[in-house]
Amino acid sequence: MIISGQAIILITLNFSEEKTMSILTAIFQALFQAVCRIFPISETAHSSVFHDFSGRFSGECSSLTGIVHIGIAVGIVIASYKLFLKMSYELFSTVGDVFKKRLKGSKPSGARHYMYMTLVSFCPMLLWLIPCGKYGLLYNVLRNTQFNKTLLDDGLFLAITGVLLILASVQLAKSSIPKPVAELPAIIVGALSVFLIPVSGFSFIGVVLAVLVLFGVSKRHAINYALLMSVPVLVVSGIVEICISVTHVGVASIIIGLVISIVASFFSTVFLKYFVSKGYLKYFGYYDVAVGIIILVIGIFELILRK
């Protein structure tokens, strides 16, 4: 009985420690992913550094990752609910007009044209479904850059993101008449998004924002456009990650991760809008260039030492 009692105590302590670690992991992961995903500092670049130094190159994910991504999407929607309500109204109104045959010859309003442009930007993402033989779909091939045992490409793409942000800051400092999102920048953003989301080192929100600003789009429209596009991507990727996950977590960790990711992404979205409005975008660019160069140098040494 004494041995059994000690065994029960040890099992209870081990279970308690595992549960505590799982909850702490959920808290850290939710905060980390929300901040790095919304601020233009690249979640994938920082994640690749962690994977590289921890020796994790399998590409397998936890269901918590998918839950957190969905939570980030919810936080963005709450922080920009007026934008999403307006775009949802325009989308359903357009569908209604199609069935009622009222679209022919009618000039779209500014809000509807804005919604049309986001759809244009989503179209190139269908290229992810291109089969690549034993490597799976094109998306899987591109995503494997996050687990290729070198940080060289991650650092290079993070530095490129930083340069684009700095150039966008210079553009914003110029006195020019802001433009709405037109067809050409919408197509370019869509084509870039094919690589921005799966390839490690890029910041999706950061590059989309910078490219639109460089095309003369107002900073308010540019940041809203980037946020609007990121939500469906986060939701879909979150669902896929939950379905293919190999590591499952407890209910408590899921609830905590979901709540914290929603709250963290809400405040990150609010602060990002504030930083962009105040002209602080360049500081994110400086950070990306500096950290990107450091990661790139580490990647070069990795290639040399592994030969």
Side-chain angles (χ1 to χ4, degrees):
M1 291 298 293
I2 295 175
I3 296 175
S4 299
Q6 290 176 342
I8 292 172
I9 292 173
L10 288 173
I11 292 172
T12 303
L13 288 174
N14 288 334
F15 177 77
S16 178
E17 289 177 0
E18 289 178 4
K19 189 174 181 180
T20 301
M21 287 302 298
S22 179
I23 291 174
L24 290 175
T25 299
I27 294 172
F28 172 78
Q29 187 170 338
L31 288 172
F32 166 79
Q33 289 184 206
V35 172
C36 293
R37 172 70 68 160
I38 294 175
F39 288 161
I41 56 177
S42 181
E43 175 198 348
T44 53
H46 290 78
S47 179
S48 289
V49 173
F50 173 77
H51 290 149
D52 192 82
F53 283 95
S54 62
R56 293 171 53 189
F57 302 108
S58 64
E60 298 175 344
C61 64
S62 165
S63 57
L64 180 61
T65 301
I67 293 293
V68 168
H69 281 154
I70 293 174
I72 294 172
V74 174
I76 294 174
V77 172
I78 296 173
S80 308
Y81 72 94
K82 291 182 179 179
L83 169 67
F84 285 91
L85 284 176
K86 197 170 189 178
M87 291 299 102
S88 298
Y89 171 79
E90 293 297 338
L91 178 60
F92 288 115
S93 296
T94 301
V95 173
D97 289 343
V98 169
F99 283 104
K100 295 176 183 178
K101 299 180 180 180
R102 295 190 306 193
L103 278 181
K104 188 175 181 180
S106 61
K107 184 178 180 180
S109 63
R112 181 164 295 191
H113 179 267
Y114 193 82
M115 185 271 295
Y116 286 163
M117 293 302 98
T118 59
L119 295 179
V120 168
S121 295
F122 277 120
C123 288
M125 296 183 193
L126 294 174
L127 295 174
W128 287 337
L129 302 178
I130 295 176
C132 297
K134 64 179 182 179
Y135 301 104
L137 301 178
L138 177 62
Y139 180 87
N140 298 327
V141 175
L142 296 174
R143 184 175 178 272
N144 285 336
T145 61
Q146 301 178 34
F147 313 98
N148 57 6
K149 298 184 179 182
T150 176
L151 294 174
L152 190 147
D153 51 343
D154 309 81
L156 176 62
F157 296 143
L158 182 60
I160 291 174
T161 300
V163 171
L164 288 173
L165 292 172
I166 294 171
L167 292 175
S169 297
V170 174
Q171 175 66 27
L172 289 174
K174 298 178 180 179
S175 56
S176 58
I177 300 175
K179 304 174 184 177
V181 182
E183 287 77 6
L184 180 58
I187 293 172
I188 291 176
V189 163
L192 290 174
S193 297
V194 174
F195 304 94
L196 296 179
I197 296 168
V199 175
S200 179
F202 288 117
S203 166
F204 177 73
I205 288 179
V207 174
V208 171
L209 170 62
V211 169
L212 291 178
V213 167
L214 290 173
F215 270 96
V217 177
S218 69
K219 54 188 174 185
R220 182 175 67 87
H221 284 315
I223 187 61
N224 284 340
Y225 198 90
L227 292 171
L228 188 63
M229 284 193 64
S230 66
V231 167
V233 171
L234 283 165
V235 172
V236 172
S237 63
I239 293 172
V240 171
E241 286 161 349
I242 292 172
C243 293
I244 66 173
S245 63
V246 296
T247 305
H248 301 282
V249 294
V251 176
S253 298
I254 289 176
I255 294 174
I256 290 173
L258 182 62
V259 171
I260 291 179
S261 62
I262 292 173
V263 174
S265 61
F266 171 84
F267 285 106
S268 296
T269 302
V270 172
F271 282 124
L272 177 62
K273 290 181 178 181
Y274 173 79
F275 293 149
V276 172
S277 67
K278 294 297 182 180
Y280 298 153
L281 194 61
K282 59 185 177 183
Y283 297 111
F284 290 109
Y286 297 152
Y287 173 87
D288 287 348
V289 171
V291 175
I293 291 174
I294 294 172
I295 296 175
L296 189 150
V297 171
I298 294 173
I300 293 174
F301 277 103
E302 285 179 331
L303 289 178
I304 295 173
L305 294 175
R306 287 172 182 169
K307 284 186 176 181

